[in-house]
Amino acid sequence: MPQADQLALVFLNGISFGMLLFLLAAGLVLMLGIMNIVNLAHGSFYMLAGFIGIAVAIKTGNFLLGAVAGMFAIGFIGLVMERFFLRRLPGHIEQMLFTLGCVYIIYDLSRVAWGSNPQYLPPPEVLTGSVPIGDLQYPIYRLAIIGFGAIIAFGLWLFLEKTRFGAIIRAGADDKEMVEGIGIDIKLVFTMVFTLAALLAGLSGVLATPVLTANLTLDWQVLTLAFVVIVVGGLRTLKGALIGSLLIGIVDSVGIFFFPELAMFLMFGVTALILAFRPKGLIGYGGLR
Amino acid sequence: MRYGAYVLVGLAVFLIVPQFIASYYVLIWAEILIYAIFALSFNMLMGYTGLLSLGHAAFFGAGGYTVALLVVKGGMDNFWLCIFIALLVSALLGLVFGYLALRTTGIYFIIITLALAQMLWALAWRWRSLTGGDDGLPGIDRPDFGLPWSLEDTTNYYYFILVFFVLSLFILYRISRSPFGRTLVGIRENEPRMQALGYNTWRYKYVCFIIAAVFGGLAGVLKVYQDGFISPTYCSMMTSALVVLMALIGGTRVFTGPILGAGVVWIIKSVVSSYTEYWTLILGILMVVIVMFAPQGIVGYLAQLKERYGTLKG
């Protein structure tokens, strides 16, 4: 039987990973809600941000600079993808298939640039070290991720609920025609939402490198988990994304700790159960909040 | 009647040509036939019900892994029993995945199929003691029927696959032209109307999903006997994306489209892979180009031209 402090560690790991998943899932939810598309390259964004972040951080010797570079590089890629490609495609299926093509392009270019060995970035000096939990030590960096994730989640909520642009996004999710009808350029909103989602994915990818490394298997691995999160939580709500992220983060962590080979059975079991009883996820498809 | 003539000519080509080409090319032909079955099964869903599944590799992998485990871990050498169990497992998986995924439509269906298939992939990848993880499982011998022609010979194995290909083609074609297939098209075009006419559209889609799963599993079985080896690639996103690309290039609205797509994609892959290691990059670019410029596919484009003569109908 595992000790209480071990269990605490497993839970904290789950929550910190859940926070990283939330940054991805929040972007997916925003895109789904307003553009009705799913970006299959979201996991690739995460992976590429990690690679770029590490490269820049090692060159400059500055973690923060690496993080900013990784995040904004992905934001720029998102902007280009939306503005010059997605916007010209007629249907949602075509748009998704376009993002699928991008997955393979990003994968192969990353393979050429960085090779298939995992890369690691030490956390910034302020956040190195660990705190004792029972008899065990817990890295401060992971706690920082949890705090940071909570701040971003709150910031997103403020942004959507309290700002004019947030109101436009929420209105767009409810009724696009009406939003266009009152003279708002919905296409500009699409571009901004897609870029914002890309920025969040980039942020998540860079933040993850000190704990999870950056490697070539991350794209689908992370995308799958992010998909499971939004399926479980409810596809169009940020609240669902948050609850789903924490749940899936913890299930993943518990699974890997107790039966590493069969962790996916646990994940599958939880997802299947939720889908069977609540096909629309825990929160449902309601408005964006 | 002209359709029948095409079929006869096609069959003759498939029968005769492998006698005159090097065994390396016969191998590629055999692979094309396997992927053609896979793409046809995928297109039962995509083309006839309009449901895009991004997790079709799950069934390819299920069929393949069932045979691999039965042969390698179970020591079973009865081909018919192996293939029967493998198809049964694929059907059961289709039963479960279909039940979970078909409660939703459109984008949600895509997400859920992808997530479910990826879970299967992760299982194959992480469950080392059973599946060998990413090292895979080697040692799957071709079936031995005690005939004078050994299936270890590439050309003989090719004819073996051809039999399954023709059978699958025939069965799927009959299904697509049956009242059942017509109902599926009706659902694709206007589901509420079909419901209003009294069809239980959910049940039709569910059955279609399971049929697609079984034939996807069949393709996996044939592939694993051909390779003599299985790895998690069988149920990876790469395989799912490949079949989407095949159907897309060939055209989804024409029954024979995916066969052509399988041929085109697999030939490009074979050629590209022998010159560079950038096949994945080419795959991605190909996908983007097709989606941007020819979303209806080759056969779809030809069919548009021919539609006015009424010889090819989707």
Side-chain angles (χ1 to χ4, degrees):
Chain A
M1 200 43 210
Q3 305 291 318
D5 46 3
Q6 268 180 323
L7 278 183
L9 242 64
V10 170
F11 266 90
L12 282 175
N13 276 347
I15 292 174
S16 67
F17 185 46
M19 280 303 180
L20 294 173
L21 284 178
F22 171 71
L23 294 181
L24 284 169
L28 285 174
V29 163
L30 284 178
M31 286 188 289
L32 255 175
I34 187 145
M35 302 167 74
N36 207 26
I37 69 162
V38 170
N39 176 21
L40 294 172
H42 222 57
S44 311
F45 283 180
Y46 170 98
M47 176 183 82
L48 187 60
F51 279 128
I52 295 175
I54 290 177
V56 173
I58 287 176
K59 258 245 148 65
T60 59
N62 186 332
F63 183 90
L64 192 66
L65 225 56
V68 170
M71 187 175 159
F72 281 93
I74 300 304
F76 179 72
I77 290 174
L79 181 72
V80 171
M81 267 173 70
E82 206 290 328
R83 180 64 188 78
F84 296 103
F85 293 94
L86 286 175
R87 187 179 281 197
R88 296 179 187 190
L89 290 168
H92 301 310
I93 300 279
E94 283 87 355
Q95 290 176 330
M96 283 191 69
L97 291 172
F98 166 75
T99 61
L100 181 59
C102 292
V103 173
Y104 290 109
I105 295 174
I106 293 175
Y107 170 88
D108 228 21
L109 293 180
S110 306
R111 184 177 62 87
V112 173
W114 289 286
S116 42
N117 289 328
Q119 299 202 14
Y120 171 78
L121 182 67
E125 233 156 82
V126 205
L127 299 175
T128 27
S130 47
V131 287
I133 290 177
D135 295 335
L136 301 164
Q137 297 286 319
Y138 198 73
I140 292 177
Y141 186 77
R142 281 191 188 251
L143 292 177
I145 288 181
I146 297 176
F148 198 68
I151 292 170
I152 297 272
F154 183 66
L156 266 178
W157 177 82
L158 271 186
F159 167 71
L160 279 176
E161 292 293 318
K162 306 289 175 199
T163 67
R164 189 182 145 73
F165 190 66
I168 293 174
I169 292 180
R170 278 183 291 128
D174 286 342
D175 190 338
K176 259 182 272 306
E177 282 74 23
M178 196 61 204
V179 171
E180 278 191 287
I182 55 174
I184 288 163
D185 183 357
I186 193 89
K187 290 200 162 145
L188 186 66
V189 180
F190 282 1
T191 309
M192 291 172 85
V193 165
F194 197 87
T195 309
L196 174 68
L199 282 171
L200 287 172
L203 180 65
S204 175
V206 180
L207 287 182
T209 48
V211 264
L212 300 167
T213 74
N215 66 69
L216 284 176
T217 63
L218 282 178
D219 49 358
W220 288 116
Q221 225 173 312
V222 166
L223 185 77
T224 306
L225 288 177
F227 274 12
V228 173
V229 163
I230 59 174
V231 166
V232 162
L235 288 158
R236 281 162 180 256
T237 73
L238 277 183
K239 205 199 293 166
L242 186 60
I243 293 172
S245 304
L246 296 177
L247 179 71
I248 293 303
I250 290 170
V251 168
D252 186 64
S253 168
V254 167
I256 287 175
F257 182 76
F258 288 102
F259 19 84
E261 284 199 321
L262 301 178
M264 269 296 147
F265 264 133
L266 186 67
M267 185 75 77
F268 178 78
V270 170
T271 313
L273 269 180
I274 291 173
L275 275 182
F277 290 104
R278 300 204 55 137
K280 294 190 169 181
L282 292 172
I283 303 294
Y285 291 176
L288 258 181
R289 43 199 96 162
Chain B
M1 232 27 250
R2 270 172 68 184
Y3 216 80
Y6 287 135
V7 171
L8 280 180
V9 172
L11 197 61
V13 170
F14 277 110
L15 274 174
I16 296 165
V17 171
Q19 291 295 338
F20 299 100
I21 54 180
S23 72
Y24 170 72
Y25 296 106
V26 177
L27 202 72
I28 292 178
W29 270 57
E31 270 170 337
I32 290 175
L33 289 184
I34 293 173
Y35 278 105
I37 298 176
F38 189 37
L40 280 170
S41 76
F42 169 81
N43 204 43
M44 281 306 288
L45 272 179
M46 171 88 187
Y48 286 87
T49 54
L51 290 165
L52 170 61
S53 160
L54 276 185
H56 205 53
F59 308 115
F60 195 73
Y65 267 105
T66 309
V67 165
L69 289 172
L70 284 175
V71 172
V72 176
K73 302 270 167 171
M76 192 182 281
D77 55 4
N78 183 334
F79 171 75
W80 299 112
L81 199 56
C82 278
I83 195 171
F84 176 75
I85 297 177
L87 296 186
L88 197 67
V89 169
S90 307
L92 287 176
L93 196 69
L95 214 70
V96 177
F97 280 15
Y99 177 77
L100 295 173
L102 279 170
R103 309 175 122 215
T104 55
T105 52
I107 283 175
Y108 310 116
F109 178 80
I110 301 176
I111 297 178
I112 293 177
T113 50
L114 191 153
L116 292 174
Q118 281 295 99
M119 286 184 185
L120 205 71
W121 171 81
L123 205 61
W125 194 55
R126 281 205 197 143
W127 197 350
R128 279 199 154 265
S129 52
L130 187 72
T131 64
D134 47 356
D135 295 336
L137 282 176
I140 301 134
D141 293 331
R142 302 248 167 97
D144 184 3
F145 298 108
L147 295 170
W149 309 282
S150 163
L151 289 185
E152 296 297 332
D153 177 83
T154 307
T155 313
N156 288 346
Y157 188 67
Y158 165 83
Y159 285 118
F160 175 73
I161 289 178
L162 186 62
V163 171
F164 279 98
F165 171 73
V166 171
L167 267 176
S168 310
L169 190 66
F170 179 72
I171 296 171
L172 289 175
Y173 182 77
R174 295 300 301 196
I175 292 176
S176 76
R177 300 293 136 134
S178 67
F180 174 78
R182 292 304 183 195
T183 310
L184 290 179
V185 174
I187 294 171
R188 179 188 79 199
E189 294 301 326
N190 194 341
E191 185 162 353
R193 181 152 185 199
M194 294 305 279
Q195 282 166 341
L197 288 171
Y199 287 94
N200 182 344
T201 58
W202 190 86
R203 194 180 298 159
Y204 277 87
K205 289 195 284 188
Y206 194 33
V207 172
C208 180
F209 193 91
I210 295 166
I211 293 173
V214 170
F215 282 92
L218 174 66
V221 171
L222 297 174
K223 184 80 165 75
V224 82
Y225 275 119
Q226 162 143 349
D227 292 348
F229 168 83
I230 195 163
S231 72
T233 322
Y234 271 63
C235 37
S236 71
M237 257 319 286
M238 186 61 156
T239 309
S240 288
L242 213 57
V243 76
V244 173
L245 187 66
M246 285 169 178
L248 212 64
I249 284 192
T252 56
R253 293 295 163 92
V254 183
F255 183 77
T256 44
I259 304 176
L260 188 72
V264 171
V265 172
W266 203 252
I267 288 170
I268 295 176
K269 179 177 158 60
S270 305
V271 172
V272 170
S273 309
S274 62
Y275 287 108
T276 75
E277 44 177 321
Y278 299 123
W279 158 242
T280 314
L281 181 67
I282 308 270
L283 170 76
I285 294 173
L286 210 60
M287 204 138 204
V288 169
V289 169
I290 290 283
V291 169
M292 299 287 300
F293 300 107
Q296 79 276 47
I298 302 171
V299 177
Y301 181 71
L302 291 177
Q304 255 182 5
L305 291 182
K306 283 205 166 185
E307 196 103 276
R308 68 188 81 152
Y309 305 109
T311 46
L312 266 172
K313 279 192 191 123

